[in-house]
Amino acid sequence: MIEKQDQETNWENFVKLLLSRLDIPTKQDINFLHVRLDKLEQLLYQKQPVAKREKTQPTIRRKSASSIVLDVIANHPEGTDFKTIKAATGFDDKKLRNIIFRLDKIERIKRVTRGIYKKV
């Protein structure tokens, strides 16, 4: 009888391993997604009247973090360093590094030297 329980346990572990490696969703995963979708729909329905009011009133658009950093860099035509950008924006190091990386990748800024950035 003990051998049978060990075989069932091994079989159950094998099935769980197979499902996880093949990224096959379980019933539990699908139920979790349904609950999250229901919550998201409820939030959308609650926010819908506010969106209608915004159409009648002029909306104020905030600048994206990337555009704020780009403006700070543009204000220094010879280039500016990381500390100056951080002081002007108030963003934390990681956020600022990610923004600078993206701006460099899409070629909006140029790295003059290490830590010195200039608008293209």
Side-chain angles (χ1 to χ4, degrees):
M1 194 70 169
I2 294 173
E3 293 176 14
K4 188 174 183 181
Q5 289 178 352
D6 287 340
Q7 288 176 351
E8 288 177 12
T9 305
N10 289 337
W11 179 251
E12 185 177 327
N13 289 339
F14 173 74
V15 171
K16 287 181 181 179
L17 178 70
L18 187 64
L19 289 174
S20 67
R21 285 205 178 160
L22 295 177
D23 288 331
I24 299 172
T26 62
K27 185 176 180 179
Q28 193 175 26
D29 295 332
I30 293 172
N31 287 338
F32 175 74
L33 287 175
H34 281 293
V35 169
R36 300 249 342 234
L37 282 172
D38 289 340
K39 288 180 182 177
L40 184 61
E41 285 176 333
Q42 288 173 359
L43 287 172
L44 285 173
Y45 289 133
Q46 288 175 358
K47 297 289 182 182
Q48 193 172 16
V50 174
K52 288 180 182 177
R53 274 188 269 139
E54 287 178 3
K55 289 181 182 177
T56 59
Q57 297 175 355
T59 58
I60 300 171
R61 297 190 89 174
R62 291 188 337 187
K63 289 177 121 180
S64 67
S66 296
S67 64
I68 293 170
V69 171
L70 191 60
D71 289 343
V72 170
I73 294 172
N75 289 338
H76 300 85
E78 294 84 30
T80 184
D81 62 341
F82 188 84
K83 288 182 181 178
T84 306
I85 299 169
K86 184 178 178 182
T89 59
F91 297 144
D92 63 338
D93 288 346
K94 184 172 183 176
K95 182 175 184 172
L96 195 54
R97 276 187 260 122
N98 287 334
I99 292 169
I100 289 172
F101 174 78
R102 272 188 265 121
L103 288 173
D104 185 45
K105 189 174 181 182
I106 61 173
E107 298 178 353
R108 297 281 177 106
I109 63 172
K110 177 183 169 188
R111 293 176 190 255
V112 179
T113 60
R114 182 178 176 154
I116 306 293
Y117 308 99
K118 183 177 178 181
K119 186 174 177 185
V120 174

